[in-house]
Amino acid sequence: MHLLTPGTLFGGRYEIVRSLSTGGMGAVYEVLHRDTQRKRAMKVMLPHVLANDDMRQRFKREGLVTAGIESEHLVEVFDVGIDEQAQAPFLVMELLRGEDLGARLARGERTKPAEMLEIIEQVVRALERTHAAGIVHRDLKPENLFVTRRDDGSLRIKLLDFGIAKLIDRSSKDTASVGTPL
């Protein structure tokens, strides 16, 4: 499977509208759900990692790990599946408008102290919910903090990318080093 082109039907019901980004494990597309006509974001596992069972499990976990947690600061996942033709796993999520905090920083854009405080408070709320559910993100960085706006114009942060999240077994002390710092 190569990068998907606009108009391609994927997963039997999602029409590719455009490419949004590509990361180490997957490519993200804007898609149109054929039945509901709603636009969503879809992350598809990249070809070079398809054969790696560990990466397939991480990809699947990303879609399921936060499914039971309700928070306006976590990306809502609507569908998880495998495209039969490409044999590629995919996740369908809410389509966000805005940009990640890393892009803002890369442009040298300054954030006012009050807004930075709001960003930190919202990230803490998201982490409180995930930690209470026994999930540790393990890749917290500006690129995984998406800055968007509510309908009233107020700031809203979404915590992204739970691909290397760890589900905590409270009876175990087992840990491993993973994530961007490596």
Side-chain angles (χ1 to χ4, degrees):
M1 183 190 84
H2 54 284
L3 290 182
L4 303 172
T5 56
T8 302
L9 189 63
F10 199 83
R13 60 196 168 278
Y14 299 103
E15 181 180 333
I16 304 299
V17 175
R18 65 186 173 110
S19 174
L20 297 175
S21 65
T22 303
M25 190 164 53
V28 180
Y29 300 91
E30 180 179 331
V31 297
L32 180 69
H33 187 279
R34 283 268 177 99
D35 296 334
T36 65
Q37 294 297 297
R38 295 282 312 259
K39 288 192 176 177
R40 300 287 186 214
M42 181 175 68
K43 186 173 187 178
V44 178
M45 193 170 200
L46 291 173
H48 70 276
V49 292
L50 276 175
N52 183 319
D53 285 336
D54 181 51
M55 295 300 272
R56 288 176 76 92
Q57 289 302 315
R58 286 183 182 188
F59 191 88
K60 181 179 180 181
R61 182 174 51 231
E62 181 178 355
L64 301 175
V65 75
T66 60
I69 304 171
E70 288 189 33
S71 172
E72 71 168 324
H73 305 298
L74 300 177
V75 175
E76 191 171 354
V77 176
F78 298 106
D79 195 5
V80 176
I82 297 176
D83 180 77
E84 290 191 25
Q85 183 178 5
Q87 288 300 299
F90 65 90
L91 311 171
V92 179
M93 305 162 286
E94 66 182 302
L95 180 62
L96 300 175
R97 304 287 182 205
E99 66 181 339
D100 67 67
L101 190 57
R104 277 182 157 194
L105 294 172
R107 284 195 312 273
E109 187 175 316
R110 297 180 65 81
T111 303
K112 294 178 183 173
E115 186 175 66
M116 185 51 70
L117 201 61
E118 180 66 23
I119 290 170
I120 292 168
E121 287 174 355
Q122 291 186 32
V123 170
V124 168
R125 274 184 252 154
L127 293 174
E128 284 176 336
R129 291 279 178 104
T130 58
H131 291 178
I135 300 164
V136 178
H137 189 279
R138 300 199 306 179
D139 199 17
L140 195 58
K141 59 185 178 181
E143 291 77 10
N144 287 338
L145 302 175
F146 198 88
V147 182
T148 187
R149 299 280 173 185
R150 294 181 184 93
D151 288 344
D152 68 2
S154 62
L155 177 86
R156 181 171 61 173
I157 297 297
K158 291 282 194 168
L159 181 55
L160 307 177
D161 199 354
F162 281 82
I164 61 171
K166 180 162 182 72
L167 303 175
I168 300 299
D169 175 358
R170 302 214 190 273
S171 64
S172 172
K173 301 279 190 228
D174 183 34
T175 62
S177 296
V178 295
T180 303
L182 293 179

